[in-house]
Amino acid sequence: MTTIGKVTSLDVAKRAGVSRSAVSRVFTPGASVSPRTAEKVREAAEALGYRPNVLARAMLTGKSKIIGLVVAYLDNHFYPTVLELLSAALEREGYHVLVFMASHTADDIGDVVSQILDYQVDGLVLASVALSSDLADRCRASGVPVVLFNRKLETEGEFAVVSDNRMGGRLAAEHLIALGRTRIGHIAGWEGASTQRDREAGLMEGLRAAGLGLFAREVGDFRLPRAKDAARRMFDTDQRPDAVLVANDYMAFGVMDVLRAELGLSVPEDVAVIGFDDVPSAAWPAYSLTTIKQDAEAMVSATVNALMSEIGGTEVVSPDPLPVSLIRRHSA
Amino acid sequence: MTTIGKVTSLDVAKRAGVSRSAVSRVFTPGASVSPRTAEKVREAAEALGYRPNVLARAMLTGKSKIIGLVVAYLDNHFYPTVLELLSAALEREGYHVLVFMASHTADDIGDVVSQILDYQVDGLVLASVALSSDLADRCRASGVPVVLFNRKLETEGEFAVVSDNRMGGRLAAEHLIALGRTRIGHIAGWEGASTQRDREAGLMEGLRAAGLGLFAREVGDFRLPRAKDAARRMFDTDQRPDAVLVANDYMAFGVMDVLRAELGLSVPEDVAVIGFDDVPSAAWPAYSLTTIKQDAEAMVSATVNALMSEIGGTEVVSPDPLPVSLIRRHSA
DNA sequence: GTCCTCACTGCATGCGTTTGCAAAACAGTG
DNA sequence: CACTGTTTTGCAAACGCATGCAGTGAGGAC
């Protein structure tokens, strides 16, 4: 019996011969309703096709059951994976994800966040976007829990879920060194990102421990074309590195393309390549990219737990960085 | 002056010495307000950090400014691209995207759609999900414009934006034939999808026009592992095809992996491979996949136009399928 | 100066819910 | 049956905003 137009709790109430409150209670888990009226209401609701209006409920309770996600890159396959995981995990908790694309320019993030807050989101996750500290203040002032995903702020206070990027960089260094490589280069991501800085710091640490220094360095800004340019600059020369750590898998694919298709070098014989993230396509034979794996599931899980706790009123503090691991494939 | 907690239009009104209506009107484009009060209000709002509550406005006006998107696959890079485009385009119109993951099982789509409708979305786009016709009815009954993306329903009536998949299949066939290939196979996607059926129909049409038939056929269901299995079945034999049209790029990558890495065949010498979609990674040299390009921008643009029109009250009818084109690279 | 017009403004109502409070129903006890 | 304790239920008041309607004032025409 599909009814056109809005059917409200009042309609259901009338049909079931009860009050609006009664029908509201039937749809509120844990409210006091007799089985008999519950039955009547459910029946009427079914017949009319009634479902509570989430927005109206949101107004009253202040809980919208929506989580804002702002994300900058979707071309880097790591983030679609995260989105899929995150959305699924939140759905399990009764929440849904409102997506906001942050243009790559960093300064309109303020606008974006404002827009999100207009929707009265119950939580906010900022994936791979830099959050200025006054913006962080604004969020906190609005009382919305925010978690930084894959980025952390130097100033403590914001909840951030990150992998142990430093350890990742170190693992990469150690692996390359164990392979006998000595001229090790680094193609960096955007230098404003903590993620980048930590990965590079770990790399340097590992090199230093073996008495080595960085052989070459270029910046790829986490963007594919820039990464390819960086690779050209770094490798189209006589004195080239025999190994390179690229700041993420996505850029690493571009680097490998340049190496093999443009410069005729072979990986790993001429140059060993290590990426970071372990996106699904890193396992594809065409690249078979050795990489430092970030555990996306664990990261998402930490994110969701934090959100749920904070929404529940529990103050929560950033956990230790999540463990990473070296995935050995054929590129190094 | 960051104020903690909610600041409502009443707060602003008080501070500006006007009524709530006035501040409401200031934030409603096209309402009648004198420049002087507008100024006062804007100032007060600024000072208090006031922004209208979208949800409250939604209740009153019935327009939530949110569009629901249900999407099944995010591992196929075509859809992240679409999401990014769609979100950006809708943001330009003042809308935002609420994402719902449809598990791959087809039957819980009903639940998902119900949940979406609970949020009073202004529109609904179903990307790559099959919509049963009674579900379509429910959507229409709720008065929410829905557009099917990259799928169409045999029964007219739903707005669907699709490429000219049939033509695409035909172009692929013609190209392979022009290349002198005669033993042409097809690795199909999920057979319940109109997209699949149309692509295959086009392929058959093209073959028939050249007096050929399909040399081999397997089903890959739009999933990577299935596609690889399909490739193994099709090619691990003496009598193998010398060309194959794979129903989308994502599967084509898997097929190429099997061909080259597992079976030691070379592409295109031993087997020519054509994909469908032209996802960004199809251009990567490691695959250099010849493919039939779907114009994602045009598809998104058509989607947004349709939504905006329908929301504006204009009944709108499905356009012709959008043009596709053959992108020649090295895999065929 | 009077009257009319018109641009503004405030009041009050309503959007579809939830929820504290108090009345009502019910069950149990002596 | 009277009385108490426990559910269950309805009333009414929010939540934050938009908007029709009536009213205020200013400006123009005569």
Side-chain angles (χ1 to χ4, degrees):
Chain A
M1 196 61 49
T2 6
T3 323
I4 188 78
K6 308 285 168 201
V7 29
T8 80
S9 66
L10 186 57
D11 300 327
V12 178
K14 278 202 195 119
R15 187 184 233 261
V18 296
S19 72
R20 290 211 307 282
S21 325
V23 1
S24 169
R25 285 189 248 263
V26 171
F27 287 93
T28 310
S32 162
V33 193
S34 78
R36 209 160 52 84
T37 53
E39 170 64 19
K40 280 192 302 186
V41 167
R42 243 179 261 287
E43 194 171 279
E46 176 79 15
L48 297 175
Y50 169 78
R51 309 201 97 216
N53 179 331
V54 176
L55 265 38
R57 174 179 298 179
M59 282 217 50
L60 211 36
T61 63
K63 316 270 82 184
S64 62
K65 292 301 199 173
I66 100 175
I67 302 289
L69 168 68
V70 8
V71 58
Y73 323 103
L74 239 36
D75 43 0
N76 174 352
H77 310 332
F78 183 64
Y79 290 105
T81 309
V82 165
L83 171 55
E84 183 159 355
L85 256 26
L86 185 67
S87 174
L90 285 174
E91 282 180 28
R92 248 171 273 130
E93 305 279 347
Y95 288 78
H96 289 277
V97 176
L98 195 62
V99 174
F100 294 70
M101 298 302 304
S103 324
H104 305 311
T105 72
D107 47 329
D108 68 341
I109 295 286
D111 280 356
V112 172
V113 169
S114 296
Q115 286 181 46
I116 299 208
L117 295 180
D118 292 350
Y119 281 90
Q120 312 296 112
V121 295
D122 290 345
L124 194 44
V125 4
L126 304 182
S128 74
V129 308
L131 184 68
S132 66
S133 51
D134 77 318
L135 202 54
D137 290 345
R138 262 191 26 222
C139 290
R140 199 164 331 98
S142 74
V144 176
V146 18
V147 3
L148 301 185
F149 189 95
N150 210 20
R151 251 354 85 103
K152 70 178 198 265
L153 235 42
E154 294 321 327
T155 78
E156 292 296 320
E158 292 311 310
F159 186 91
V161 16
V162 289
S163 299
D164 193 344
N165 289 304
R166 184 185 198 96
M167 175 60 74
R170 215 191 146 109
L171 285 177
E174 286 167 0
H175 183 61
L176 291 174
I177 290 164
L179 255 33
R181 308 292 167 139
T182 52
R183 303 192 310 280
I184 298 174
H186 177 51
I187 291 184
W190 178 56
E191 302 187 274
S194 68
T195 308
Q196 163 58 34
R197 294 193 300 270
D198 292 347
R199 288 173 189 177
E200 184 164 8
L203 171 66
M204 298 307 294
E205 205 175 285
L207 292 180
R208 228 175 358 251
L212 289 176
L214 197 57
F215 185 80
R217 179 179 194 278
E218 294 286 348
V219 176
D221 270 347
F222 293 137
R223 317 285 338 161
L224 196 53
R226 303 249 177 104
K228 295 177 84 164
D229 281 346
R232 290 181 191 111
R233 287 194 299 273
M234 183 176 287
F235 290 96
D236 197 4
T237 155
D238 299 337
Q239 268 293 89
R240 56 175 161 72
D242 59 5
V244 59
L245 170 62
V246 188
N248 70 17
D249 286 356
Y250 178 57
M251 292 196 298
F253 296 142
V255 170
M256 284 181 70
D257 285 344
V258 167
L259 258 30
R260 300 192 296 199
E262 294 183 17
L263 305 177
L265 299 171
S266 63
V267 175
E269 291 75 8
D270 297 322
V271 183
V273 178
I274 297 192
F276 213 116
D277 282 350
D278 194 30
V279 299
S281 35
W284 295 1
Y287 292 98
S288 190
L289 181 65
T290 293
T291 190
I292 307 295
K293 175 190 170 95
Q294 293 204 79
D295 190 340
E297 294 196 34
M299 293 175 75
V300 165
S301 171
T303 303
V304 173
N305 288 342
L307 285 175
M308 294 304 120
S309 300
E310 291 249 28
I311 289 174
T314 324
E315 197 70 26
V316 68
V317 58
S318 295
D320 289 336
L322 276 57
V324 297
S325 55
L326 173 73
I327 305 290
R328 301 187 49 166
R329 298 205 180 88
H330 298 98
S331 73
Chain B
M1 195 63 47
T2 5
T3 323
I4 188 74
K6 308 285 170 203
V7 28
T8 79
S9 68
L10 186 56
D11 300 326
V12 178
K14 278 202 195 121
R15 186 183 233 264
V18 297
S19 73
R20 290 210 309 281
S21 324
V23 4
S24 169
R25 284 190 250 263
V26 171
F27 288 92
T28 310
S32 162
V33 193
S34 79
R36 210 162 51 85
T37 54
E39 172 64 18
K40 282 192 301 185
V41 167
R42 243 180 262 287
E43 195 172 278
E46 177 79 14
L48 296 174
Y50 169 79
R51 309 201 96 219
N53 180 330
V54 176
L55 264 39
R57 176 178 294 180
M59 283 218 51
L60 212 38
T61 63
K63 315 270 82 182
S64 63
K65 292 301 199 173
I66 100 176
I67 302 289
L69 167 67
V70 6
V71 58
Y73 323 103
L74 239 36
D75 44 0
N76 174 352
H77 311 331
F78 184 64
Y79 290 104
T81 307
V82 165
L83 171 55
E84 184 161 355
L85 256 26
L86 185 66
S87 174
L90 286 174
E91 282 179 29
R92 246 171 273 130
E93 305 279 348
Y95 288 78
H96 288 278
V97 175
L98 195 61
V99 174
F100 293 71
M101 297 300 306
S103 323
H104 306 311
T105 71
D107 47 329
D108 68 341
I109 295 285
D111 279 355
V112 172
V113 169
S114 297
Q115 286 181 45
I116 298 210
L117 295 180
D118 291 350
Y119 281 90
Q120 313 295 115
V121 295
D122 290 345
L124 195 44
V125 5
L126 304 181
S128 75
V129 309
L131 184 70
S132 66
S133 51
D134 77 320
L135 203 53
D137 290 346
R138 258 184 37 216
C139 291
R140 199 163 330 96
S142 74
V144 176
V146 17
V147 4
L148 301 184
F149 189 96
N150 210 19
R151 269 321 106 99
K152 69 179 200 259
L153 234 45
E154 295 321 326
T155 78
E156 292 295 319
E158 292 311 311
F159 186 91
V161 17
V162 288
S163 299
D164 193 344
N165 289 305
R166 186 188 197 94
M167 175 59 75
R170 210 184 152 115
L171 286 176
E174 287 166 0
H175 182 61
L176 291 174
I177 290 164
L179 254 31
R181 309 291 168 137
T182 52
R183 303 193 309 279
I184 297 174
H186 178 50
I187 291 184
W190 178 57
E191 302 186 274
S194 68
T195 308
Q196 164 58 33
R197 293 193 299 271
D198 292 347
R199 288 173 189 179
E200 183 164 8
L203 171 67
M204 297 307 294
E205 204 175 285
L207 293 180
R208 228 174 0 251
L212 289 176
L214 197 56
F215 184 79
R217 179 180 194 278
E218 295 287 348
V219 176
D221 269 347
F222 292 136
R223 315 287 337 164
L224 195 54
R226 303 248 178 103
K228 295 177 83 163
D229 281 344
R232 291 181 191 109
R233 287 194 300 273
M234 184 176 287
F235 290 97
D236 196 4
T237 156
D238 299 336
Q239 267 294 88
R240 55 175 161 72
D242 58 6
V244 59
L245 170 63
V246 188
N248 69 18
D249 286 356
Y250 178 57
M251 293 196 299
F253 297 141
V255 170
M256 283 180 71
D257 286 343
V258 167
L259 258 32
R260 299 193 296 199
E262 294 182 17
L263 304 178
L265 299 170
S266 63
V267 176
E269 290 75 8
D270 296 322
V271 183
V273 178
I274 297 192
F276 214 114
D277 282 349
D278 193 30
V279 299
S281 36
W284 295 359
Y287 292 99
S288 190
L289 182 64
T290 293
T291 189
I292 306 295
K293 175 192 172 90
Q294 294 204 81
D295 190 341
E297 293 195 34
M299 293 175 76
V300 165
S301 172
T303 302
V304 173
N305 288 341
L307 285 175
M308 294 304 121
S309 300
E310 292 248 26
I311 288 173
T314 325
E315 197 72 26
V316 68
V317 59
S318 294
D320 289 337
L322 276 56
V324 297
S325 56
L326 173 72
I327 305 292
R328 300 187 50 169
R329 298 206 180 88
H330 299 98
S331 73

